[in-house]
Amino acid sequence: MLNIVLFGPPGAGKGTQSEKIIAKYNLTHLSTGDLFRKHLGEGTELGKLARKYMDEGKLVPDEVVIDMVDDKIANTPETNGFIFDGFPRTVAQAEALDRLMQRKATKIAGMIALDVAEEVLKERIRERGKTSGRVDDQDENKIETRIKVYLAETLPVASYYEKQGKFAKINGVGSIDGIFEEISNVIDSY
Ligand code: AMP
């Protein structure tokens, strides 16, 4: 299996690049944000719980996220591997992911981080908010909170993989295809 963590702040282009990666490498896309939005749309208990955090731009508690990922992995028996998008977002989640991978007798090949300056991120999120319908994309305070939460709680996850020699950073500003080529080069080196 080939398991990759695609990393970066909100608006870095993780969703866009994930689409291209899954098509080229035939992987399963596991976006915790997408999974939560699906639950929200279906009005499940999990969706209702997650909504309180999502609408504020805060992180959903680790155990809730980890259980949902566990479930998704368990229900995907036949796959070449996973591309994790928006997960792990805390060191506790990264540790849990290692355990989940071990249980499947596999591991994380590496983390690929998309580097984008804060002002560019904000502009991209505002643009996306015009069509995404996402409450968290349309309010300056919520955009600000998400970036703050990223810096305080999520950025340490990069060091977690760096310490294991599993970290690659790519410039996330440029053409979609150009960025994808850089990502492909990293993946092909695994
Ligand atoms: P995203 O689509 O990845 O930007 O996620 C949207 C929102 O879902 C985030 O702002 C969080 O409230 C929640 N969320 C998604 N993934 C996670 C995660 N791994 N840990 C905690 N909260 C998450």
Side-chain angles (χ1 to χ4, degrees):
M1 278 171 82
L2 175 64
N3 305 295
I4 300 161
V5 175
L6 191 60
F7 189 75
K14 300 187 293 294
T16 305
Q17 293 297 336
S18 288
E19 295 298 323
K20 297 179 79 72
I21 298 168
I22 55 169
K24 178 167 177 185
Y25 295 94
N26 196 17
L27 303 176
T28 301
H29 188 201
L30 201 162
S31 156
T32 43
D34 284 353
L35 288 175
F36 280 131
R37 279 184 289 276
K38 187 163 179 280
H39 276 279
L40 229 135
E42 291 168 356
T44 67
E45 285 307 311
L46 178 59
K48 282 177 203 156
L49 192 154
R51 169 169 231 146
K52 289 184 286 182
Y53 300 94
M54 293 173 78
D55 283 355
E56 292 303 315
K58 294 185 178 147
L59 293 185
V60 177
D62 282 337
E63 58 278 14
V64 176
V65 185
I66 292 163
D67 281 354
M68 183 176 73
V69 172
D70 187 357
D71 202 59
K72 173 74 183 176
I73 292 175
N75 285 305
T76 316
E78 298 290 327
T79 181
N80 288 334
F82 292 93
I83 170 99
F84 294 98
D85 164 4
F87 177 89
R89 259 178 160 96
T90 63
V91 172
Q93 290 180 17
E95 288 167 351
L97 179 58
D98 278 346
R99 290 193 292 273
L100 293 175
M101 293 286 96
Q102 252 167 28
R103 212 169 63 194
K104 277 195 102 67
T106 185
K107 60 179 172 32
I108 296 295
M111 165 184 270
I112 302 173
L114 296 174
D115 188 30
V116 179
E118 195 168 321
E119 269 319 305
V120 180
L121 294 173
K122 287 183 186 163
E123 200 41 50
R124 283 188 188 174
I125 298 172
R126 285 183 204 117
E127 268 308 303
R128 183 170 70 187
K130 291 180 188 165
T131 52
S132 71
R134 286 176 56 170
V135 183
D136 60 347
D137 280 348
Q138 293 174 28
D139 180 296
E140 279 303 312
N141 287 333
K142 285 171 189 166
I143 296 174
E144 200 72 49
T145 304
R146 283 159 69 204
I147 293 174
K148 274 204 187 110
V149 166
Y150 168 79
L151 294 173
E153 296 180 56
T154 303
L155 205 49
V157 180
S159 315
Y160 180 85
Y161 290 98
E162 211 165 7
K163 279 183 207 143
Q164 300 176 42
K166 291 185 177 180
F167 179 78
K169 185 152 91 175
I170 281 172
N171 180 2
V173 183
S175 74
I176 290 175
D177 287 340
I179 296 165
F180 180 59
E181 205 180 309
E182 299 274 317
I183 292 176
S184 294
N185 289 341
V186 175
I187 296 178
D188 293 340
S189 75
Y190 289 151

